[in-house]
Amino acid sequence: MILSDRDIVQALESGRIKITPQPDLERSLGSCSIDFRLGNTFMVFEHSRFSYIDPRQPQSIGDAMRTITVPDGEAFIMQAGDFALASTLESLELPDDLLGRLEGRSSIARLGITVHSTAAVFEPGWVGTATMELSNLGRMAVALYPGMRICSFTFEQLTSPAMVPYRKKRGNKYAGQIDPKPSRLAEEIAMALEEEK
């Protein structure tokens, strides 16, 4: 069951869903979703310095990315074919019986920008900002401004609370993040290899 606008407002008022800073509901609330804004921090691959990424080597991933902070009022320019990680301005905290689903906004998609590649589900018990995988699929560069509405969240009710919400899950790699984080796939692989021993 997807929460309606009425249900989202009730969940915000009761504290079941926490969004910080508090959203302007007049501008951000849809019929069954709420818009989140683009943060100031971006991570980009330095493909001119590194020829490939090895997911088994954590330094391969971290070293290959550079963090850029864009001041308010200035633009982050997504060139055609570019990929970047970015975070939402708002932080989200979910209860143990709701999941969040991040969706790109149609107005942004019509410029050629995809907001997430595959990571759309935010598990029950999520806490932190959302990292988005931005791509420019178009042929023209697009200016993205911190503070612009970039994505929306819908919320779905689980049939019962999760036994192990995300924030309590062993090996939760991204809980509590406040800036975009690079892939932590290497940690997952290392943990699996350690368990095999």
Side-chain angles (χ1 to χ4, degrees), residues 16 23 26 33 60 65 88 107 122 132-133 145 173:
R16 283 190 73 220
E26 250 181 61
S33 65
S60 172
M65 297 199 86
T88 56
S107 296
F122 288 74
M132 299 167 288
E133 303 108 10
Y145 291 88
K173 300 182 291 289

Side-chain angles (χ1 to χ4, degrees), residues 121-169:
V121 173
F122 288 74
E123 294 185 22
W126 169 264
V127 60
T129 59
T131 293
M132 299 167 288
E133 303 108 10
L134 303 176
S135 296
N136 184 350
L137 303 179
R139 298 184 67 181
M140 297 178 69
V142 177
L144 300 175
Y145 291 88
M148 71 187 291
R149 292 183 297 147
I150 190 77
C151 66
S152 64
F153 268 91
T154 58
F155 304 97
E156 298 178 43
Q157 181 69 52
L158 274 65
T159 54
S160 63
M163 291 190 322
V164 183
Y166 186 77
R167 68 181 170 279
K168 295 180 181 175
K169 186 183 281 188

Side-chain angles (χ1 to χ4, degrees), residues 47-104:
H47 47 81
S48 61
R49 290 182 52 212
F50 298 91
S51 57
Y52 71 97
I53 299 164
D54 184 349
R56 288 189 171 198
Q57 302 297 323
Q59 73 277 6
S60 172
I61 299 168
D63 290 349
M65 297 199 86
R66 177 171 51 102
T67 301
I68 299 168
T69 303
V70 177
D72 289 338
E74 293 186 20
F76 177 79
I77 307 298
M78 288 280 302
Q79 297 294 333
D82 265 3
F83 174 85
L85 298 178
S87 59
T88 56
L89 188 61
E90 290 83 5
S91 178
L92 173 67
E93 186 172 342
L94 293 174
D96 298 349
D97 63 346
L98 283 181
L99 72 79
R101 192 175 297 276
L102 184 147
E103 300 291 344

Side-chain angles (χ1 to χ4, degrees), residues 25-64:
L25 295 180
E26 250 181 61
R27 293 196 67 212
S28 62
L29 187 64
S31 302
C32 62
S33 65
I34 190 162
D35 290 341
F36 276 49
R37 296 170 295 165
L38 183 61
N40 298 75
T41 308
F42 301 82
M43 294 188 79
V44 296
F45 283 107
E46 295 197 287
H47 47 81
S48 61
R49 290 182 52 212
F50 298 91
S51 57
Y52 71 97
I53 299 164
D54 184 349
R56 288 189 171 198
Q57 302 297 323
Q59 73 277 6
S60 172
I61 299 168
D63 290 349

